[in-house]
Amino acid sequence: MPLAQLNAGHIRFPVDSPEMASFIDQLAEVNAAAEAADGFIWRLKDVDGPGSMSYRLLGDDRLAVNLTVWRDLEALRAFVVGHRGHREALRERYRWFERATEPMTVCWQVPEGHLPSLEEAEQMLLRLRSEGPGAEVFPFTYRDQRGGDGAPVGA
C-alpha cells in the first residue's frame, strides 16, 4: 500500500529573502530527482515555482511543507538518504529552518490512487503529536519496539 509523507519546517527568513536563496535554488533539482526516483508517486506542487513553498500548515505562515506519496517506506528512505543533493540539504537545513521542538514529519499509508490533501496531512501530523507513533501514523525515522519499521507490513 502506498505511503504518504509530510515534512514541515518553520522557515527562519521570508521565502524571497537572500538568506533563503540557496535553499530555493536547489528545490527544482532535488524535486526532479525525487520525481525520477524508484517508488515515487506524487508530490504537492506550487502552481509556479519549483516546490510547494506557497502552501502552509496549521495556520502558520512560516511553516513550509512538503507532501509526497511513495510506493512504500523503503522507497522514500532510499531517496532521502541516497540522493546526494537531498542529503546535503538535510545537513544544512538549520541555515533555513528552525530546530523543531515537536514532530514535524509524519508518514501514513494511503489507498492505491489516493492523493492526500493538505488538510489530511495536517490531521495526521496532529494525530502523531497527540497519540505518538504507532502502526498507523509515525515519523520518518520511527522504528517499532521489535526493531522494524513503524509501518504495517507492506508499507
Side-chain angles (χ1 to χ4, degrees), residues 46-57:
D46 284 330
V47 173
D48 57 357
S52 57
M53 294 299 292
S54 68
Y55 295 94
R56 293 295 180 264
L57 209 61

Side-chain angles (χ1 to χ4, degrees), residues 11 15 53-58 60-65 118:
I11 55 176
V15 172
M53 294 299 292
S54 68
Y55 295 94
R56 293 295 180 264
L57 209 61
L58 303 169
D60 188 338
D61 287 340
R62 293 181 33 244
L63 196 56
V65 302
L118 202 51

Side-chain angles (χ1 to χ4, degrees), residues 113-124:
H114 176 72
L115 303 179
S117 67
L118 202 51
E119 293 76 20
E120 177 185 346
E122 183 175 286
Q123 290 173 357
M124 293 301 181

Side-chain angles (χ1 to χ4, degrees), residues 62-139:
R62 293 181 33 244
L63 196 56
V65 302
N66 177 286
L67 177 60
T68 58
V69 176
W70 294 80
R71 178 184 61 232
D72 53 32
L73 185 59
E74 292 76 24
L76 170 61
R77 286 184 171 158
F79 172 73
V80 168
V81 300
H83 182 264
R84 182 184 52 80
H86 191 272
R87 263 194 336 268
E88 289 173 6
L90 281 176
R91 274 196 296 270
E92 298 291 322
R93 69 185 173 269
Y94 298 120
R95 291 176 52 198
W96 311 297
F97 297 92
E98 295 177 2
R99 291 187 186 276
T101 58
E102 57 191 338
M104 299 299 274
T105 67
V106 64
C107 298
W108 69 100
Q109 287 188 311
V110 294
E112 196 75 41
H114 176 72
L115 303 179
S117 67
L118 202 51
E119 293 76 20
E120 177 185 346
E122 183 175 286
Q123 290 173 357
M124 293 301 181
L125 181 61
L126 291 173
R127 182 174 170 190
L128 174 65
R129 289 177 178 180
S130 67
E131 299 175 12
E136 293 183 14
V137 295
F138 48 93

